[in-house]
């Protein structure tokens, strides 16, 4: 069955780092656009970073210079390296993929069709 599985979440102190991983099982999502989203309690889900099939990337302003999205097509995997974490980065992080029809890189939730279950990131001050 096609699904996305995230891992790598955890609890860190402000200034620390985490690396999130997302494995695409049963389908080659990594050949299309993929992205990371996050949702904090009481807030809407927001796009964090996206990557295209050509390796192009885009980031939310709030994470630029601190987060890096990457993928490994040979492993069908997506990653998010998060450095200099802040308490406001704490959220459930979701991996997302689209089904090949997206024409430009996007951080819009509506542009993605497939979602993982999420991995929790906690940042203490």
């Amino acid at each position: 069955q096609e699904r996305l599985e995230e891992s790598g979440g955890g609890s860190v102190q402000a200034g620390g780092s985490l690396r999130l991983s997302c494995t695409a099982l049963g389908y080659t999502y990594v050949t299309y656009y993929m992205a990371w989203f996050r949702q904090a309690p009481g807030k809407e889900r927001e796009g964090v970073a996206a990557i295209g099939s050509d390796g192009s990337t885009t980031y939310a302003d709030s994470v630029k210079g601190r987060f890096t999205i990457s993928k490994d097509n040979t492993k069908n995997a997506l990653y998010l390296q998060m450095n200099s974490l802040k308490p406001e980065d704490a959220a459930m992080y979701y991996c997302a993929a689209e089904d090949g029809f997206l024409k430009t890189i996007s951080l819009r939730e509506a542009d993605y069709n497939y979602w993982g279950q999420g991995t929790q990131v906690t940042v203490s001050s």
Side-chain angles (χ1 to χ4, degrees):
Q1 184 176 358
E2 305 146 359
R3 65 183 188 274
L4 299 169
E5 286 191 352
E6 303 96 335
S7 61
S11 182
V12 296
Q13 290 190 329
S17 298
L18 283 174
R19 187 189 191 214
L20 305 184
S21 298
C22 172
T23 301
L25 303 174
Y27 198 72
T28 311
Y29 295 111
V30 292
T31 61
Y32 303 139
Y33 290 99
M34 296 188 73
W36 287 97
F37 287 76
R38 68 185 181 187
Q39 187 170 22
K43 295 187 176 181
E44 294 186 352
R45 188 150 56 181
E46 62 173 350
V48 175
I51 188 166
S53 57
D54 61 354
S56 59
T57 59
T58 192
Y59 297 90
D61 288 342
S62 58
V63 306
K64 281 180 181 176
R66 300 187 298 120
F67 290 11
T68 302
I69 189 171
S70 62
K71 62 179 180 175
D72 186 336
N73 290 351
T74 64
K75 297 181 179 180
N76 236 18
L78 179 73
Y79 306 102
L80 185 68
Q81 178 66 44
M82 306 186 295
N83 299 328
S84 302
L85 282 161
K86 304 175 180 179
E88 52 263 42
D89 294 319
M92 185 71 80
Y93 281 72
Y94 299 90
C95 172
E98 55 92 22
D99 54 10
F101 291 97
L102 193 60
K103 300 304 181 185
T104 187
I105 201 164
S106 170
L107 288 177
R108 290 179 63 239
E109 183 177 357
D111 287 333
Y112 294 87
N113 313 95
Y114 306 100
W115 296 83
Q117 294 299 306
T119 185
Q120 183 69 45
V121 172
T122 303
V123 184
S124 58
S125 58

